Amino acid sequence: MAADVISAAGIPVTLFEKRPGPARKLFIAGSSGLNITYDAPLSEFTSFYRTEPQFWNRVLTAFGPNQWLQFLHELGLKTFLGTSGRYFVEEMNAARLVLLWRERLISRGAHFEMSAECVNFDVSLSEPGVTLHFAGRESQTFSAVGFGLGGGSYEPDEIPLRWPSMFINKQIGVHPFQASNVGYQVAWPQAFLQESEGRAIKNIRLTCPTKGSQQGDLMITAYGLEGTPIYFVGESGTVLIDLKPDLTHEQMMEKCSRSTENLSPIRRIKKYLNFDEPVLSLIFHLTDPPVRNDLSLLLERIKAFPIRLGDPQPIAEAISTAGGIELTELTPDFMFHKCPGVFAAGEMLNWDAPTGGFWIQGCVSQGHLAGLGILKFLKERR
Ligand SMILES: Cc1cc2nc3c(=O)[nH]c(=O)nc-3n(C[C@H](O)[C@H](O)[C@H](O)COP(=O)(O)OP(=O)(O)OC[C@H]3O[C@@H](n4cnc5c(N)ncnc54)[C@H](O)[C@@H]3O)c2cc1C
């Protein structure tokens, strides 16, 4: 996005990427739908970011969801609003977005250099210029440099990540990375896993004593649980799951008591409450017989089914990571106080957000401002 802003002003840009091709994380995000932003008024949108409301208010006022959607439409993409308030590109993957965006940048004279891992940089104050040093190739000097090096998730070959040392060596504050939006371990009984691994528990309301409640779907995995309500909780401990949020205990009791057939409580809930197989499997395998055989106790448990979340999955498996360059290291233009002419934006900065399109939106909004900041810096230098 920063390169887009700069190249639109007619200034030549080179984009370096350590991998053989660009935008790998967007392709990964695209494998689960590519949720590009969220539908909410600015004040509500800002409140989703877990820290720094003033920072986000400024960033999203400058380049918010409407500008981002318009940008995508101008690029030639169609978007749609899902029922959950999330926006997606029509294709629900990143291929066309990356193709069209790359073509546009190249048509404006931008130059892509792949398999180029930046390992260090020097800032020259007397002779304005930032020199980038690469692994196994020649160094290059530019009038200004913008870093967008990303976070620590889905980087199994880099634990810990390599890029932070470039900044730590310059006494720039880098907050340790933590997994954000990650699955949690649950000690499932083997019989339950055999029946339900890889299946979804749909439309539940999950309550956690410290964070409140969140409605959504859960995915049962061999290690435990993932899904938006789990990402929302983001901590170990016992959570309560309402497996039938649309009905009260009394309404369920009334439905289950309609027939005089001689059915066990489990058979009654199966017959009258329309639970999917994974929910019935969960109730059956994780409920002791005294509760399973008492309809009222069983319905109580269905409204507040306790699950103990153990440890989070490792950072490499998280959707995103909090941590990175401290925001206080940067000017409002996203330039390092300590390194004039050097800018940074995106997940490499220390901020955090839930899933819902807030990550991509946050990254492109910051990238837009960093691009404007670079233009301003170049103008002032000239
Ligand atoms: C499974 C998954 C699903 C996701 N789904 C969504 C979603 O639906 N919606 C959403 O908003 N967000 C989603 N995200 C998060 C989102 O993809 C990221 O937050 C976003 O891509 C971060 O953008 P970025 O440009 O800051 O970093 P990145 O996209 O990570 O790009 C940084 C780039 O820098 C390169 N790089 C790193 N170090 C160097 C170096 N030293 N030299 C040269 N190049 C380097 C990396 O290889 C990488 O290509 C998802 C993430 C994952 C893992």
Side-chain angles (χ1 to χ4, degrees):
M1 180 56 86
D4 198 278
V5 172
I6 299 161
S7 62
I11 291 172
V13 183
T14 304
L15 291 103
F16 295 98
E17 163 60 52
K18 72 177 177 187
R19 291 197 157 82
R24 170 178 167 267
K25 195 67 78 64
L26 278 188
F27 283 108
I28 295 174
S31 66
S32 51
L34 200 67
N35 168 204
I36 43 165
T37 191
Y38 189 79
D39 180 37
L42 184 66
S43 58
E44 195 193 328
F45 202 109
T46 308
S47 70
F48 279 99
Y49 292 94
R50 290 183 180 134
T51 47
E52 315 287 343
Q54 281 168 345
F55 167 86
W56 284 108
N57 195 39
R58 179 175 68 80
V59 168
L60 294 166
T61 301
F63 190 87
N66 291 339
Q67 287 94 328
W68 173 223
L69 288 170
Q70 195 186 333
F71 177 94
L72 292 168
H73 300 157
E74 283 168 12
L75 206 53
L77 293 150
K78 287 192 178 132
T79 57
F80 71 93
L81 178 59
T83 48
S84 56
R86 298 171 180 216
Y87 275 100
F88 299 86
V89 288
E90 192 181 46
E91 299 78 12
M92 295 195 81
N93 66 54
R96 206 153 159 266
L97 165 63
V98 173
L99 178 83
L100 293 175
W101 207 348
R102 192 166 185 268
E103 276 175 2
R104 175 155 106 174
L105 288 167
I106 290 171
S107 75
R108 287 186 188 154
H111 176 59
F112 281 76
E113 289 201 25
M114 298 296 111
S115 303
E117 180 171 355
C118 178
V119 289
N120 206 352
F121 64 96
D122 298 315
V123 184
S124 158
L125 292 177
S126 49
E127 173 67 19
V130 184
T131 302
L132 296 181
H133 305 291
F134 297 93
R137 53 161 72 203
E138 274 184 25
S139 302
Q140 296 189 44
T141 301
F142 295 90
S143 308
V145 163
F147 285 110
L149 304 177
S153 70
Y154 279 69
E155 291 283 355
D157 303 330
E158 270 192 56
I159 300 172
L161 273 182
R162 286 192 287 270
W163 68 251
S165 63
M166 286 196 269
F167 300 91
I168 292 167
N169 292 343
K170 291 180 170 56
Q171 276 73 51
I172 288 170
V174 180
H175 195 85
F177 285 105
Q178 299 139 259
S180 162
N181 300 309
V182 70
Y184 275 73
Q185 293 170 14
V186 179
W188 295 127
Q190 202 49 40
F192 169 66
L193 268 190
Q194 269 165 7
E195 286 173 11
S196 304
E197 185 187 340
R199 301 189 67 184
I201 301 178
K202 296 215 167 134
N203 193 27
I204 55 89
R205 186 186 298 122
L206 186 146
T207 302
C208 143
T210 53
K211 299 278 173 66
S213 295
Q214 171 92 5
Q215 203 140 339
D217 300 343
L218 301 176
M219 182 58 74
I220 302 156
T221 67
Y223 69 76
L225 278 174
E226 52 189 63
T228 305
I230 297 290
Y231 307 151
F232 161 81
V233 170
E235 62 187 30
S236 307
T238 300
V239 293
L240 298 176
I241 302 178
D242 183 346
L243 295 166
K244 206 61 168 172
D246 301 338
L247 294 181
T248 62
H249 182 283
E250 292 69 32
Q251 287 167 327
M252 288 197 292
M253 183 60 101
E254 198 265 321
K255 276 178 179 277
C256 290
S257 310
R258 273 181 199 158
S259 128
T260 51
E261 281 175 285
N262 186 18
L263 293 176
S264 69
I266 278 279
R267 284 187 180 275
R268 274 182 192 276
I269 62 161
K270 183 174 180 185
K271 186 161 181 187
Y272 297 111
L273 296 181
N274 290 329
F275 282 123
D276 293 337
E277 287 297 332
V279 180
L280 289 169
S281 172
L282 179 83
I283 295 169
F284 183 80
H285 290 293
L286 281 92
T287 306
D288 292 335
V291 175
R292 221 161 56 196
N293 295 330
D294 180 315
L295 183 59
S296 183
L297 290 179
L298 186 60
L299 295 180
E300 254 174 49
R301 189 165 169 85
I302 285 169
K303 290 302 283 177
F305 201 95
I307 297 276
R308 175 146 181 86
L309 302 180
D311 289 337
Q313 284 298 94
I315 270 191
E317 290 176 31
I319 287 184
S320 46
T321 48
I325 305 279
E326 298 289 8
L327 296 180
T328 49
E329 295 286 354
L330 301 170
T331 68
D333 289 332
F334 290 84
M335 184 169 82
F336 285 93
H337 293 291
K338 293 185 182 120
C339 302
V342 182
F343 296 72
E347 200 179 325
M348 71 180 288
L349 307 185
N350 182 19
W351 51 280
D352 196 7
T355 54
F358 302 103
W359 284 90
I360 291 176
Q361 177 70 61
C363 291
V364 294
S365 297
Q366 292 178 16
H368 182 86
L369 280 180
L372 292 178
I374 291 175
L375 288 182
K376 188 172 138 197
F377 173 82
L378 294 176
K379 202 170 160 200
E380 283 169 2
R381 272 288 153 102
R382 225 179 279 141

